[in-house]
Amino acid sequence: MKPSTCAWGAALFVACLPALAFADSPPDKQHYNYKATFTAEPITIDGKPDEAVWQTATEVSGWYLTRINYGKPAPDDTKVRILYDKHNLYVLFHCLDKDPSKITAYSVQNDSFLHQEDNVTVMLDTFKDHRNAYYFWTNPLGVRTDGRIVADGEAFTTSWVGEWETMGSVTDTGWYSEMRIPFANFQFPEGEEVTFGLMLDREQARTQEWSNWTPDGVNSAKVSRFPHLEGLKNIQGRRSWSVTPYVATDFALKTTESRKMLRPNAGLDARIDPTPWAALKLTVNPDFSDVEADQDRLLLDTDEPLLPERRPFFVESEHLFLAPIKIFTSRRIAMKPHDRIWGGGQLTGKVGGLGFALLDVQHEDDPGDGTTIKENLNSGVLRLQHDIGKRSAINLIGVSRYGDKYGWFRTAGLDANIHIWEEVFIQAQALKSWSDAAGSKNSEAYKLAIHRFDTNSEFWVHLEDIGERYANPLGYTPVLDKQGWNTHLYLTPFPGLRFLPQVNLTWDTLWRRNHEKVRTRLRQRVNVTPYLHHNFALYADYVYDNNEGFKDRVATGGFILFPNDWQSLTLTAFTGRFLGGPTRGINAALNYKLGNRLQARLSAFYTESEDVPTHSELYGTSGTGHSYSGYAQLRYQFNPNLYTRITFQQGAVSELADYSNVKGTLLDAVFGWHYRPWSDLFLVYSDQPFNGSQERRILSKISFTY
């Protein structure tokens, strides 16, 4: 990187810091709070307000719309009561509905995406830091979906999984939802009496209306605007310690010669909570990170599989590592099927305005070349996040990775998240890497981002400068040696017309050059999705991409029928020019639920490209110009905690630059049972390509939390 470039990046970062002095003016609209009522009586979670103690709790009603007709009273009101005891928070929703026969609820699978079903959400800012919150999301069938809201609604993490209970019931006045949320799910400050930030949210499916309990209908993700839940006295969080041992087996029916036929396995996770605001986590040989997350997706794709993290050891601090440039992704640690983590420790928590995470892991990675020689590695991360003002933060990161094959990789940096106005924030970041393989020259990375978002729109501009030798194998930076910018605009207007109830509009621009000042890419994309009915949308997309001298132009058109998570049919076709020659193709996807328990997912695509240059940096060595894949999955959900699933996929995806060439057949069958809190049983049959051949394995695992 040339000196001028380095100065440019540093100037961008430093220029943002004075804004901290002016950022985070308090919201100018009044909040109102809720005082919880203590109960000594047991509450049975059955979706019915049949305990008399519910009538002693204050009722909240008079909700306001937050999406369509923003700020106006909701036509169908919602009433909420809240109780608590020493160990649990209890929430009762009564969602009034003028036509209960049209209440929509299809999802039974936990962690389902519940938009476009009737649903309610409880959001808790347990540190009352006006930035981060846990959310608990459910529908009338009692499915549990949870996660974390990060940085005042700028991002969400879905890997965090809580233990809580919920049930719903439909009546002639609407529907009820009853929840029990143990305080053991989260960290919070010590004190005889604590106060949480609290948001309550509802979505009504057939009207597409969102509403919440704030008097001005504020965006429900804006943690800084949450009212407060007061009066929580002498509550108890997690036990001071817990241990989760597991036993597992890996039985190879067909594998490479170097693999053992039967490989028994055992390990454990342990947790020590010296205070409610800090936790020490230890792990020995964690396993099965990929059963639920990895196989439930289209594997034969050209995108790098940065998959959700499911290993409990890593998810507690995941929200701390969100940054403009991905500086740490835990799935980079032991990410391949035969990699292994020997052990690790992690200290996480928050005291005052300082959040922290210190992590160290010893692991062993398979080279993926069919040999038996594995690389021993140690990976460590230190992350500090200090709150500034009402909503902003400044963050420090240090990452190290040492292996006996490539030696040291180290990265250090500073980033800031600065809120200027209610819906506008700035992100700035500066990083420096050192490595035995790439050295330290030209290894800086800088980013400046300006965002504005609300419920129905989003706009951002990103400026980036990545050195040609910047190296961080625990992060994610797909393109090096670049200077550039990109913009993104997303709008969702609701015209209110009978034949045009909604429109989704997206516009993206990307401009990039290398450090020799040679432009390497200019990309423009426009996407328009007009809804002609709530259940039918057209799809139109156009991409112009001048990439390394190839001027690609691809137009896509089609339709989406029943555009929601539980039932949809998408059919699109595209045509244009790609890498110097004509291209065409077709994509189809069907997602359909047969009743509440059986779900089918089918998808396929075929792409044909002519006159594609072989052995080029853009295309790789295959030169076939043909890609195809077919995918089918059936899932039966006995109840939210018990399911079985079978997945089949076959195809070939031609090689593109920076991507892996994937060909072969995938077949897996899974039986999963979450049989008690923080305890699971899995049985898996897997048939998938590895090292150029098919591997067939039977895997099992059972864990039990004490």
Side-chain angles (χ1 to χ4, degrees), residues 322-496:
L322 295 178
I325 299 173
K326 292 183 180 179
I327 45 181
F328 174 67
T329 302
S330 60
R331 286 307 302 266
R332 293 288 198 190
I333 298 177
M335 64 184 296
K336 298 188 294 297
H338 295 288
D339 296 346
R340 170 171 290 189
I341 293 178
W342 292 112
Q346 180 178 195
L347 179 66
T348 62
K350 187 167 187 175
V351 55
L354 179 66
F356 56 88
L358 175 63
L359 178 148
D360 188 79
V361 176
Q362 188 70 33
H363 54 111
E364 182 182 73
D365 284 8
D366 191 300
D369 57 8
T371 66
T372 59
I373 301 175
K374 295 187 177 183
E375 183 179 13
N376 293 305
L377 296 154
N378 180 271
S379 297
V381 186
L382 171 65
R383 180 68 162 170
L384 301 176
Q385 183 180 84
H386 195 276
D387 297 342
I388 304 292
K390 297 292 183 181
R391 293 172 293 170
S392 299
I394 188 166
N395 314 294
L396 176 69
I397 184 74
V399 179
S400 72
R401 180 179 181 268
Y402 177 78
D404 52 25
K405 186 176 181 180
Y406 295 107
W408 280 105
F409 287 86
R410 295 185 180 95
T411 302
L414 192 69
D415 57 279
N417 197 312
I418 307 157
H419 283 255
I420 304 300
W421 294 290
E422 180 67 21
E423 296 169 340
V424 178
F425 62 92
I426 295 175
Q427 294 176 317
Q429 188 173 17
L431 298 168
K432 172 73 174 178
S433 71
W434 300 263
S435 69
D436 291 342
S440 61
K441 187 178 181 181
N442 301 332
S443 61
E444 296 83 8
Y446 304 95
K447 190 160 186 175
L448 174 68
I450 303 174
H451 286 241
R452 183 200 180 277
F453 77 98
D454 57 27
T455 305
N456 298 325
S457 66
E458 180 180 35
F459 175 74
W460 47 254
V461 179
H462 289 190
L463 303 174
E464 227 176 7
D465 189 325
I466 309 295
E468 59 183 315
R469 293 188 179 180
Y470 172 76
N472 180 11
L474 294 179
Y476 178 63
T477 310
V479 180
L480 303 178
D481 188 17
K482 67 174 179 179
Q483 294 177 321
W485 54 267
N486 61 83
T487 63
H488 171 81
L489 173 66
Y490 175 76
L491 300 173
T492 308
F494 293 86

Side-chain angles (χ1 to χ4, degrees), residues 35 57 100 106 132 224 325 358 374 510 526 565 597 608 678:
K35 189 170 185 178
Y106 286 87
N132 308 304
S224 61
I325 299 173
L358 175 63
K374 295 187 177 183
L510 169 66
V526 177
D565 190 55
R597 303 192 183 278
E608 180 181 281
W678 289 286

